[in-house]
Amino acid sequence: MITRHFGIPVTSPGAILRREKDLGTPLGLETDEMLQRGDLVPDKTIVKLIEDWLHLHGGYGFVFDGFPRTLPQAESLGSILKSLQTSIDAAIWLDVSEETVRSRISGRLQCRTCGFTTSVGSAQFANRPICPYCEGRLERRSDDNVGVLQQRLREYNSKTQPLADYYGKMSILRKIDGNRDRDAVFGDISQIIEGKASA
Ligand code: AMP
């Protein structure tokens, strides 16, 4: 949605790793077990992915979705951006209750190709689960189940949550109530992006 609306490239390590798995690359096959357990992938692997991606796409603004997820990743990102003579404008924290997370992942349908997300409850896609933007297949994710979610939440609470403090101290943390509907959340994210784009 951000790329479509603003033309800013967005990347997500999770999406990259799922694509690698589909392609059957060594990276995709090695990391798949971790994704299926809900464990975070080692920092070194993730940072290398982001570094390679930045060298290809990062010239004129970018958004990371699901990165950084640990303090060492955040520190590495800081150093990489410094070497590219740029820095982070905003770290957006989508604050969502566990109840909302549970309900969203239990019905999430995601486009394998572009990441567009909808819900199994959406009548529009009931008979034709095809992405309206890229014609990719809309699928349930194999790690979207209650068992794996418990581990993903444990990883989040112990390793990712501390980043709120880290970016808070740098005065770039922007907290958004993610329990609201898609348009309301997107409206807030848009304001942050527009504010930065015109700053
Ligand atoms: P996501 O698509 O963001 O829900 O991520 C799916 C899975 O990919 C996570 O449960 C992790 O196994 C892995 N992953 C994604 N982003 C990261 C990251 N920044 N650090 C470590 N593992 C990650």
Side-chain angles (χ1 to χ4, degrees), residues 12-15 17-18 31 34-36 38-43 46 65-70 73 108 110 141 143-144 148 152:
S12 132
L17 293 173
R18 282 187 289 279
T31 51
M34 301 171 212
L35 268 70
Q36 298 314 320
D39 292 343
L40 288 184
V41 170
D43 292 331
I46 297 289
D65 172 10
F67 175 84
R69 264 166 143 123
T70 67
Q73 289 180 18
R108 174 158 68 174
Q110 198 166 46
R141 264 173 54 176
D143 58 344
D144 273 354
V148 180
R152 284 156 73 189

Side-chain angles (χ1 to χ4, degrees), residues 1 12-13 24 27 32 38 41 47 56 63 69 73 83-84 97 101 104 109 112 116 139 146 155 182 191 195-196:
M1 213 158 163
S12 132
L27 173 67
D32 185 49
V41 170
V47 168
L56 282 175
V63 172
R69 264 166 143 123
Q73 289 180 18
S83 74
L84 296 172
S97 72
V101 171
R104 284 188 185 158
L109 269 186
R112 197 83 183 173
F116 166 74
E139 292 178 339
V146 175
E155 291 280 63
R182 183 194 297 252
Q191 272 187 10
K196 294 302 166 189

Side-chain angles (χ1 to χ4, degrees), residues 26-180:
L27 173 67
L29 298 174
E30 275 158 29
T31 51
D32 185 49
E33 249 180 55
M34 301 171 212
L35 268 70
Q36 298 314 320
R37 281 197 306 263
D39 292 343
L40 288 184
V41 170
D43 292 331
K44 211 172 141 209
T45 307
I46 297 289
V47 168
K48 169 89 173 59
L49 282 184
I50 292 293
E51 202 167 10
D52 290 350
W53 185 90
L54 269 173
H55 281 118
L56 282 175
H57 305 273
Y60 304 99
F62 45 84
V63 172
F64 296 131
D65 172 10
F67 175 84
R69 264 166 143 123
T70 67
L71 274 175
Q73 289 180 18
E75 285 162 1
S76 298
L77 176 63
S79 313
I80 295 167
L81 294 181
K82 200 167 171 196
S83 74
L84 296 172
Q85 296 181 332
T86 185
S87 59
I88 304 172
D89 290 317
I92 301 178
W93 173 13
L94 289 178
D95 189 22
V96 186
S97 72
E98 287 198 11
E99 195 187 330
T100 303
V101 171
R102 212 162 276 124
S103 121
R104 284 188 185 158
I105 71 139
S106 68
R108 174 158 68 174
L109 269 186
Q110 198 166 46
C111 174
R112 197 83 183 173
T113 310
C114 75
F116 166 74
T117 298
T118 182
S119 149
V120 285
S122 166
Q124 191 188 344
F125 303 109
N127 296 321
R128 193 174 181 272
I130 298 295
C131 176
Y133 296 103
C134 76
E135 297 276 310
R137 218 171 59 209
L138 298 176
E139 292 178 339
R140 296 274 299 130
R141 264 173 54 176
S142 54
D143 58 344
D144 273 354
N145 62 66
V146 175
V148 180
L149 176 63
Q150 287 312 322
Q151 178 58 9
R152 284 156 73 189
L153 287 174
R154 269 194 291 274
E155 291 280 63
Y156 175 81
N157 288 327
S158 64
K159 298 177 186 162
T160 307
Q161 177 63 40
L163 294 182
D165 248 18
Y166 179 83
Y167 287 122
K169 284 187 184 134
M170 290 168 67
S171 305
I172 54 172
L173 187 75
R174 305 294 299 272
K175 186 169 165 177
I176 291 178
D177 177 1
N179 295 292
R180 296 163 307 150

